[in-house]
Amino acid sequence: AVHVELEACRAAEQEIKRLKDVMGGGEGVENANDQIASTVSSLPELMERKKRVDMHINIATALSDCIRARNLDKFFEVEEKIMTKTTLEESVLDTLKEPERGNS
């Protein structure tokens, strides 16, 4: 959903840039003015959508940072290996004893 919103914002930005190029003059100016008016009226909605996308990206980044800081990805790997009965590089007890894993 975040990706879709981000793509919609980018498409709107590209449309605005295209309209700037069209404004160079000629018979397309009246049509461009209508399109610009339409685009400008949709700017508040686009800004709100962009704000939501940015908020979700910030949350996802913060979660990712916390997961890496606590080495939770290593616990996940160990869990997956236990469930699939794959050989572990180190014992589960050694993994749990490491002080930097699982702590913030």
Side-chain angles (χ1 to χ4, degrees):
V2 172
H3 179 68
V4 172
E5 291 290 325
L6 188 57
E7 287 302 316
C9 290
R10 286 184 180 150
E13 182 181 352
Q14 290 298 324
E15 179 65 12
I16 291 170
K17 287 179 182 176
R18 186 189 68 76
L19 290 174
K20 281 182 181 178
D21 293 338
V22 170
M23 288 302 291
E27 50 200 50
V29 172
E30 291 174 14
N31 187 29
N33 285 338
D34 292 341
Q35 289 179 342
I36 288 174
S38 171
T39 302
V40 168
S41 67
S42 68
L43 279 177
E45 177 189 350
L46 289 172
M47 295 303 291
E48 185 61 34
R49 288 169 67 185
K50 183 180 182 319
K51 206 184 309 182
R52 281 193 308 250
V53 168
D54 288 344
M55 178 185 62
H56 283 93
I57 289 172
N58 289 339
I59 291 170
T61 301
L63 284 171
S64 177
D65 291 345
C66 287
I67 288 169
R68 274 185 296 211
R70 297 178 67 188
N71 290 307
L72 295 179
D73 55 325
K74 301 297 181 195
F75 286 112
F76 176 77
E77 288 175 16
V78 169
E79 180 183 22
E80 286 294 307
K81 287 179 181 180
I82 290 171
M83 291 174 60
T84 60
K85 299 183 190 308
T86 306
T87 305
L88 298 171
E89 289 86 27
E90 60 183 328
S91 75
V92 175
L93 191 55
D94 290 339
T95 302
L96 293 174
K97 283 182 179 180
E98 288 189 36
E100 71 273 357
R101 289 191 181 167
N103 296 313
S104 54

